[in-house]
Amino acid sequence: MYDHRIGGGEELVGHEKEVSTHQDVCQIIDNYPWAAELAWFKKLGIGGGFNFLLGDENSQYAHYQFVPIDADVGFLTLSVVLKPGVFKLFGRKSVSKDFDMVSIAEAKVKLNDLFTSSIATLYNRYQR
């Protein structure tokens, strides 16, 4: 899922696309209207971004969020839920990782984990 403006309008438009390869993810990022979105972000203080999900948000999942903040830089975060728990609280097994500011190239490398690692592997890798 990703957001950006279309046709010069001020409203962010959500886009959802199912992908099956890391190459597909890279193509979405490469085709994103970076310059236009950054200009709108500077003008309105609200910008688009990317959400990449492996799994099902109601059970096990890994979720990367990439929010562009400059021409080649964005904030990248990862949330992994191995076990949702009762009421999404009791018995929950989850971990979050903030990668801070990363380049587009670095984000692409991290996003490859969604195609090469299991949810359990990602949970174990970033567990404190």
Side-chain angles (χ1 to χ4, degrees):
M1 296 171 277
Y2 55 102
D3 302 317
H4 66 80
R5 293 162 181 87
I6 296 178
E10 290 186 17
E11 294 295 319
L12 284 169
V13 177
H15 304 273
E16 190 169 331
K17 185 174 184 178
E18 190 169 317
V19 297
S20 57
T21 68
H22 180 247
Q23 183 178 355
D24 292 339
V25 167
C26 292
Q27 187 175 21
I28 289 169
I29 292 171
D30 291 341
N31 291 326
Y32 191 76
W34 292 97
E37 280 305 308
L38 290 171
W40 279 111
F41 176 73
K42 289 176 183 176
K43 182 178 179 180
L44 301 175
I46 299 170
F50 302 90
N51 290 285
F52 300 100
L53 178 71
L54 171 65
D56 178 4
E57 285 183 303
N58 295 316
S59 60
Q60 288 187 349
Y61 66 88
H63 171 250
Y64 276 99
Q65 183 178 40
F66 184 53
V67 179
I69 58 166
D70 208 344
D72 186 35
V73 177
F75 289 115
L76 182 66
T77 58
L78 169 66
S79 299
V80 180
V81 173
L82 188 61
K83 183 179 174 191
V86 178
F87 302 115
K88 295 187 177 187
L89 183 61
F90 302 108
R92 182 177 172 95
K93 286 188 174 182
S94 64
V95 64
S96 295
K97 172 69 176 165
D98 186 355
F99 296 99
D100 295 318
M101 291 192 309
V102 298
S103 70
I104 293 170
E106 291 169 316
K108 288 178 182 178
V109 169
K110 291 290 184 193
L111 290 167
N112 191 47
D113 283 346
L114 296 176
F115 301 94
T116 60
S117 301
S118 69
I119 295 168
T121 299
L122 290 170
Y123 174 81
N124 291 327
R125 182 180 303 156
Y126 296 107
Q127 183 182 11
R128 295 177 193 172

